[in-house]
Amino acid sequence: MLEGKTVILGVTGSIAAYKAVDIASQLSRAGVKVDVVMTEKATRFVSPLSFRAITGRSVTADMFDASSELNVTHIALARAADVVAIAPATANVIAKLATGIADDVLCCMVLATNAPVVIAPAMDANMYENPVTQENVSRLKKRGFVFVGPKFGKLVSGVEGLGRFANTVEIIGVISQVLGRGGSFADRHIVVTAGGTQEFIDPVRVITNRSSGKMGYALAEAARDRGAKVTLITGPTLLTRPVGVEAIDVCTAEEMLQAVRSAISGADVLVMAAAVADYRPRTKAKEKIKKEGAGLTLELERTPDILGEVKGDFIRVGFAAESENLVENATRKLRRKNLDLIVANDITAKGSGFGVDSNRVTIIGKDGKAESLPLLHKKEVADKVLDKVAKLLTERYKER
Ligand code: PMT
């Protein structure tokens, strides 16, 4: 979604300006053309040279720079932008944008652009909560500016409050989401499950598995970046919830089933990437079980088969974590669970499966055709899976 796009990164005079270097760096690494526009005060916090070195592109800090290669700099930048992101944005710049003051290159460029504008404020909590700033923020929101943060936390002044700059992942997440608007999944609702479920033995012990949630989260983000409305039903994980996605936390297979049931009504696609426990203790001990005997026997019972239980008119995608006979076993699951697609996950391959960033999968369709993919980053796997889902959606809507 980001590759080949032009992001104009506006940097203003906040102590958080140095964090914009990381944003520029991560966007550049994702293949984005990042043109940085700085206010004069921002240059007091970070040198334009830092951004130039990171992006490999010229940095604009002066409206009247005679050496600029651009013809009328602010207009050229305004036209080139796929999205403008002002991060960090001070109260001053927010006020100027809200009232149309155009006394520097950044504000002129924003006034001249038709591209969507993302704003990540960073300031003292009292400044942010001041009714004047609040009025300016809501005026900009009404005009379609997209805000990310600020967050509650410790501020430079030492006090805690609402004013902290959002983190790089969140800001890039919102930029991706804005770029994805009107994408191939616009108006589609996709429900994704991720992570492992936990089944309680007693109040402190659980039966679970090694799923980190990375595969499911990558799918949720990739669907969001294609413009979909995404509901992510997630087992306990250490991952940060993706921005622009409705995340529902669950713990047990039963809770995941209930969450899928209520999210799926009216949805177009269900992707079950979660590693759902197949068995749970028949009873959960009320108190922590004491170490008494030399051993302990637990009686287990089956958990509900979520894919088996949830019925409806939506595209059904399952995953199959297999350690042997990958394609045969996965195809059997595809038929048994009446799926449109199954992603057979080779969990024996190095760098593939649980916990890692990459995955090696074979995608099998209802017609039995299998496409084996090499070891890829989970983000790339997510895109390959969604390419297939996109085809199924096109066929389905052609028929209607
Ligand atoms: O989370 P990561 O660390 O990134 O790891 C990713 C992954 C290995 C967990 C993921 O790629 C994966 O393979 N997920 C499915 C794991 C699994 O439970 O496979 P299964 O073969 O046991 O189940 C088949 C399908 O039925 C799955 O879509 C599963 O979500 C679903 N299922 C399973 C049990 C159950 N009670 N209800 C279900 O709906």
Side-chain angles (χ1 to χ4, degrees), residues 211-213 215 272-274 278 304 306-307 319 333 337 345 355 378:
S211 171
S212 62
M215 190 62 247
M272 286 286 303
D278 291 313
I306 300 174
L307 275 172
F319 270 69
K333 281 182 188 166
K337 296 185 184 233
N345 206 148
K378 281 180 177 163

Side-chain angles (χ1 to χ4, degrees), residues 73-365:
T73 311
H74 61 287
I75 304 293
L77 290 167
R79 284 201 186 134
D82 289 304
V83 63
V84 174
I86 305 178
T90 56
N92 179 48
V93 162
I94 289 172
K96 290 203 285 181
L97 296 177
T99 46
I101 293 173
D103 63 349
D104 62 25
V105 64
L106 177 62
C107 293
C108 283
M109 187 268 301
V110 174
L111 213 52
T113 193
N114 291 324
V117 182
V118 172
I119 296 198
M123 66 192 78
D124 168 70
N126 283 345
M127 288 172 76
Y128 183 70
E129 281 163 6
N130 189 303
V132 179
T133 307
Q134 287 304 303
E135 220 173 283
N136 291 331
V137 168
S138 68
R139 227 193 246 191
L140 290 172
K141 281 185 180 167
K142 270 188 211 133
R143 276 190 231 140
F145 285 55
V146 180
F147 278 74
V148 44
K151 302 178 75 166
F152 186 89
K154 195 118 183 144
L155 304 171
V156 181
S157 58
V159 298
E160 282 205 335
L162 192 61
R164 263 183 85 82
F165 192 42
N167 66 41
T168 301
V169 173
E170 288 167 327
I171 293 168
I172 294 182
V174 171
I175 293 172
S176 308
Q177 186 191 6
V178 166
L179 283 168
R181 280 186 196 158
S184 57
F185 282 24
D187 302 325
R188 300 281 164 255
H189 179 195
I190 306 214
V191 178
V192 179
T193 66
T197 60
Q198 295 185 346
E199 311 300 330
F200 285 90
I201 298 169
D202 66 16
V204 294
R205 301 178 178 102
V206 292
I207 293 178
T208 189
N209 57 68
R210 295 192 301 111
S211 171
S212 62
K214 287 179 181 174
M215 190 62 247
Y217 278 51
L219 282 154
E221 286 175 6
R224 172 202 68 195
D225 294 349
R226 292 175 186 226
K229 171 185 168 195
V230 180
T231 306
L232 172 66
I233 298 168
T234 171
T237 82
L238 296 173
L239 303 177
T240 309
R241 306 283 173 270
V243 286
V245 159
E246 184 201 10
I248 298 172
D249 292 291
V250 296
C251 199
T252 63
E254 184 59 44
E255 286 170 12
M256 187 170 276
L257 169 65
Q258 298 313 331
V260 171
R261 267 201 183 125
S262 62
I264 204 66
S265 144
D268 300 281
V269 184
L270 170 64
V271 184
M272 286 286 303
V276 186
D278 291 313
Y279 290 92
R280 64 186 170 205
R282 189 172 290 282
T283 52
K284 173 185 164 186
K286 271 209 181 83
E287 307 300 336
K288 186 180 167 202
I289 298 171
K290 297 272 175 286
K291 295 191 285 278
E292 275 160 356
L296 175 71
T297 303
L298 288 174
E299 194 184 343
L300 303 181
E301 64 180 9
R302 288 294 295 266
T303 56
D305 178 1
I306 300 174
L307 275 172
E309 298 244 352
V310 185
K311 311 266 186 279
D313 184 23
F314 51 84
I315 291 165
R316 301 158 61 83
V317 182
F319 270 69
E322 301 295 342
S323 57
E324 56 180 345
N325 303 326
L326 184 71
V327 174
E328 295 81 342
N329 286 343
T331 308
R332 224 172 287 133
K333 281 182 188 166
L334 172 118
R335 306 258 177 262
R336 199 173 66 233
K337 296 185 184 233
N338 187 26
L339 304 177
D340 296 288
L341 217 57
I342 196 155
V343 184
N345 206 148
D346 182 355
I347 56 166
T348 59
K350 199 165 179 281
S352 172
F354 291 85
V356 287
D357 288 334
S358 46
N359 216 354
R360 197 186 156 100
V361 305
T362 298
I363 307 177
I364 307 164

